Amino acid sequence: MTIDTDRLLDWEFPVTEHTCSARDAMLYALGVGLGTDPSDGTELTYLYECDLAVLPTMAAVIGHPGPWYADPGTGIDWVHVVHGEQSLQIHRPLVADSTMRCYTRVVDVEDKGEGRGALVRWQRRLVGAETGEPVATADSTLFCRKDGGFGGPSRPKRALAAWPQGEPTGSVRQRISPRAGLIYRLSGDYNPVHVDPKVAVDAGFDRPILHGLCTFAHATWAVLREVADGDASALVSVAARFKAPVYPGQDLRTDIWRDGTTIRFRSFVGADTLVLDSGRIELREVEAHQ
């Protein structure tokens, strides 16, 4: 089983339509950790159908094609695939009970070399089903740990933006529910590595790991709660690199460096194990709170 670059770049994804129901939005919010305090009015905004708001990171799962890379035709050793990077641009707020059309494509394939794996970058665009207006764009990178050396193109190493100097301006701790993966998967990502102990062990983990996008959403919410009073409509974009798996039941610490409407963040578990790196959030000017 070997990756064929041209075949992956031409991989056909069906154009799908998805209606984001109020129930979907509330289930997603529960899956990414909201609701531990039912009397918390800020979180209730995303959990109660009365004037319901939708968390913007839900755009990363709406119309998600699932583990498409498990198709034998991709040539990918899917059991050893992990999420490498994620970015999300919000063009307009998500609205409950609205229907969106989803367009998905592979945009790049990188061969890091024998024993070093491969990177497959793919993109999903959400547009209004009736208007065609852009809603969100999600860019994802798969790190295919066992697939390097297939003779595909390599890429120059990308330089990372300089990290802010000094101590973080804020830090947020969250307890990841032991049931987080079981709830989150109901929003559309049914990869068994997040629920089946045998598959997780075969993939090299001690037990089922949390979805990378669930960790991503936990950290994004931590930042929005800390610097924007929990107003998720403030989010313009968010991006981060995945460095290590998170297990349900762990505590997540997100350190925040703020510079106006630009937020940099990193997330850790345990004794300072880095799990999200190079985090960057852009906020709307009018929504950035002091």
Side-chain angles (χ1 to χ4, degrees):
M1 186 165 58
T2 304
I3 287 178
D4 181 322
T5 299
D6 291 336
R7 186 171 188 181
L8 270 185
L9 290 173
D10 290 336
W11 196 261
E12 291 189 12
F13 295 87
V15 177
T16 60
E17 287 194 359
H18 183 92
T19 299
C20 175
S21 71
R23 181 182 183 279
D24 291 337
M26 291 184 284
L27 181 62
Y28 175 81
L30 288 172
V32 299
L34 279 70
T36 55
D37 179 1
S39 65
D40 184 333
T42 299
E43 295 193 356
L44 196 61
T45 299
Y46 305 95
L47 296 164
Y48 180 36
E49 62 273 16
C50 182
D51 296 323
L52 180 70
V54 182
L55 288 173
T57 49
M58 189 178 180
V61 300
I62 291 175
H64 194 288
W68 60 270
Y69 44 86
D71 186 315
T74 65
I76 296 172
D77 182 353
W78 71 272
V79 173
H80 295 96
V81 167
V82 293
H83 208 144
E85 299 180 33
Q86 180 68 43
S87 67
L88 181 64
Q89 290 185 303
I90 304 299
H91 307 299
R92 49 181 37 81
L94 299 181
V95 178
D97 296 320
S98 62
T99 301
M100 285 159 281
R101 187 171 294 119
C102 178
Y103 298 89
T104 306
R105 66 189 182 103
V106 174
V107 296
D108 187 47
V109 179
E110 178 180 348
D111 186 355
K112 295 178 69 66
E114 185 69 32
R116 299 181 59 209
L119 299 176
V120 176
R121 300 181 177 94
W122 59 297
Q123 182 184 84
R124 294 169 49 252
R125 292 188 303 110
L126 297 179
V127 304
E130 294 185 2
T131 65
E133 295 178 338
V135 176
T137 302
D139 288 281
S140 306
T141 299
L142 301 177
F143 178 30
C144 308
R145 295 178 291 162
K146 299 292 185 178
D147 292 303
F150 56 89
S154 60
R155 300 281 183 267
K157 189 173 183 179
R158 290 181 293 171
L160 298 178
W163 197 255
Q165 298 295 309
E167 295 296 311
T169 55
S171 187
V172 179
R173 291 183 180 272
Q174 300 161 291
R175 180 67 184 273
I176 305 295
S177 167
R179 299 190 297 170
L182 299 175
I183 299 173
Y184 183 85
R185 68 191 301 268
L186 301 179
S187 290
D189 188 344
Y190 292 97
N191 188 331
V193 76
H194 304 298
V195 66
D196 189 321
K198 183 180 184 306
V199 173
V201 170
D202 288 346
F205 303 108
D206 295 336
R207 57 191 186 277
I209 60 174
L210 191 64
H211 302 69
L213 285 178
C214 189
T215 303
F216 182 80
H218 270 82
T220 303
W221 173 248
V223 173
L224 292 172
R225 185 66 192 261
E226 179 74 6
V227 306
D229 298 334
D231 180 6
S233 69
L235 187 69
V236 174
S237 65
V238 54
R241 303 178 74 188
F242 299 95
K243 301 297 289 185
V246 174
Y247 292 96
Q250 289 186 307
D251 290 333
L252 185 73
R253 186 188 88 235
T254 299
D255 291 342
I256 299 166
W257 289 260
R258 179 174 182 180
D259 181 10
T261 57
T262 298
I263 312 297
R264 307 297 301 276
F265 68 93
R266 284 174 170 156
S267 297
F268 304 81
V269 296
D272 290 328
T273 297
L274 181 65
V275 296
L276 287 180
D277 194 12
S278 303
R280 185 185 186 101
I281 281 177
E282 296 291 341
L283 301 178
R284 302 184 194 284
E285 183 75 40
V286 295
E287 297 292 353
H289 302 283
Q290 300 297 324

